Amino acid sequence: MIPGLATRRRFSDLSEQEVLALAISSEEDDARIYRSYAERLRGEFPASAAVFDGMALEEDGHRQRLIDLHIARFGTVIPLLRREHVAGFYARRPSWLNETLGLDAVRAEARGMEEQAAAFYERAAATTQDAATRRLLGDLAAAEAGHIRTADGLTAAHLGDDARAEEDDSARRQFILTWVQPGLAGLMDGSVSTLAPIFATAFATQNTWTTFLVGLAASVGAGISMGFTEAAHDDGVLSGRGSPWKRGLASGVMTTVGGLGHALPYLIPDFWTATTIAMIVVFVELWAIAWIQNRFMETPFVRAALQVVLGGALVFAAGALIGGG
């Protein structure tokens, strides 16, 4: 038995009072989510924060009207009923996951919240045979659809084309500073710095398993080192580069991936087959680095390719010479 599952009730078993209580608690939760979005965005994206402030106020208004309706029909005591108490009811993303969303994802999440709620009430209204309950659910669906129109109106009022473009540019810059730059640095370090030890071991021993173990150790070790270095050397407060753990994660993971790319072929027992594939992988890695530099850092592709390929070729040659000697 899954804990908590047996205590959940089906939506179809709820009374009209309980449906209304569920709607009230849902409006309260959504208002709280919108305010958390607004607070998180206020510093960097004030126009979007104003939109979510307005949406939270709209949720407060709908909640108050629902409370007034409950008082008129059932009295002042509202049953305690929340989403998690009802089997199959739509859920919301936990707050700690919301904190990781980017600007576009927050906008999409907010619109999805309203569409999800409206669609749920419409489906629920279509399945009930009780006229009063059907009318209540239809009113709730209409209220949620009204939220979507209100959100569009608030966006038009607070987030004009210029403000939206400015916030989108700011979000893109933040994405590059927090994820792309550390990840690119890690990929370059993992792809290039591990070339010498891996290929030196390969040509010195011509043992694929030993080469793989050296490559695995070099990649994982470099990833851990790069991740901690990136996270520790800048907390992001003054530089504006974002969360240190996000940057450390991006740098560490991409460093490990960059090294493992040309270490994994040495799981193949045949030495020359593994080495040929590893060389091809190195070529792909270096061109991927050049593409990322061109795509996100606006470095001319030819210049980026020459720099990366030349550097990689020199490190590879050093490893091959040392191992062959």
Side-chain angles (χ1 to χ4, degrees):
M1 180 68 68
I2 299 176
L5 186 60
T7 62
R8 292 188 177 187
R9 296 180 58 191
R10 293 180 300 177
F11 188 88
S12 59
D13 294 335
L14 300 181
S15 66
E16 290 186 42
Q17 182 183 15
E18 289 171 330
V19 169
L20 195 54
L22 180 60
I24 291 170
S25 66
S26 297
E27 298 290 341
E28 291 173 345
D29 290 344
D30 287 353
R32 191 175 296 112
I33 291 173
Y34 289 141
R35 286 195 170 88
S36 69
Y37 284 160
E39 190 62 27
R40 186 163 69 84
L41 297 174
R42 202 175 309 282
E44 293 182 272
F45 311 110
S48 288
V51 171
F52 287 114
D53 282 332
M55 292 176 70
L57 290 175
E58 284 292 320
E59 297 289 349
D60 287 341
H62 287 126
R63 175 180 57 84
Q64 187 57 54
R65 287 198 291 272
L66 289 168
I67 291 175
D68 292 341
L69 178 60
H70 185 280
I71 292 173
R73 295 190 62 187
F74 306 109
T76 58
V77 179
I78 302 175
L80 177 59
L81 194 65
R82 305 181 67 86
R83 293 186 179 99
E84 58 268 25
H85 300 154
V86 181
F89 200 72
Y90 62 90
R92 292 290 186 241
R93 186 189 297 266
S95 59
W96 59 87
L97 293 181
N98 285 333
E99 293 175 359
T100 65
L101 298 178
L103 180 59
D104 286 338
V106 168
R107 293 170 179 164
E109 183 77 8
R111 187 173 186 86
M113 285 169 59
E114 304 298 347
E115 292 175 345
Q116 189 179 42
F120 180 86
Y121 285 129
E122 287 173 357
R123 290 194 301 271
T127 60
T128 184
Q129 300 300 316
D130 182 80
T133 303
R134 189 183 186 92
R135 182 174 63 252
L136 173 60
L137 294 173
D139 291 343
L140 293 174
E144 295 298 337
H147 290 184
I148 299 173
R149 292 190 295 271
T150 299
D152 292 339
L154 288 169
T155 299
H158 294 286
L159 199 62
D161 292 339
D162 292 341
R164 188 182 186 96
E166 183 178 348
E167 290 193 353
D168 288 344
D169 287 341
S170 179
R172 183 176 184 275
R173 287 194 299 270
Q174 191 62 57
F175 173 74
I176 291 174
L177 289 173
T178 303
W179 295 104
V180 177
Q181 279 188 349
L184 178 61
L187 183 60
M188 293 176 67
D189 183 83
S191 298
V192 176
S193 69
T194 58
L195 286 176
I198 289 176
F199 284 103
T201 304
F203 285 104
T205 66
Q206 295 198 6
N207 184 300
T208 57
W209 179 246
T210 299
T211 302
F212 168 73
L213 292 179
V214 171
L216 178 63
S219 301
V220 173
I224 294 173
S225 176
M226 284 288 288
F228 274 101
T229 299
E230 178 62 43
H233 89 279
D234 180 10
D235 62 8
V237 175
L238 295 179
S239 65
R241 297 181 65 221
S243 168
W245 73 264
K246 291 180 181 179
R247 292 184 286 104
L249 179 65
S251 181
V253 169
M254 293 308 294
T255 300
T256 303
V257 169
L260 284 178
H262 44 270
L264 289 174
Y266 284 98
L267 288 172
I268 300 173
D270 183 75
F271 172 75
W272 287 110
T273 301
T275 300
T276 301
I277 295 175
M279 290 179 179
I280 295 173
V281 171
V282 169
F283 180 81
V284 172
E285 289 172 349
L286 297 180
W287 278 95
I289 292 170
W291 180 85
I292 294 172
Q293 287 182 317
N294 174 256
R295 173 68 176 81
F296 293 100
M297 313 305 293
E298 300 181 357
T299 304
F301 184 81
V302 174
R303 188 175 77 184
L306 288 175
Q307 292 173 344
V308 174
V309 172
L310 178 61
L314 291 175
V315 176
F316 170 80
L321 289 173
I322 293 172

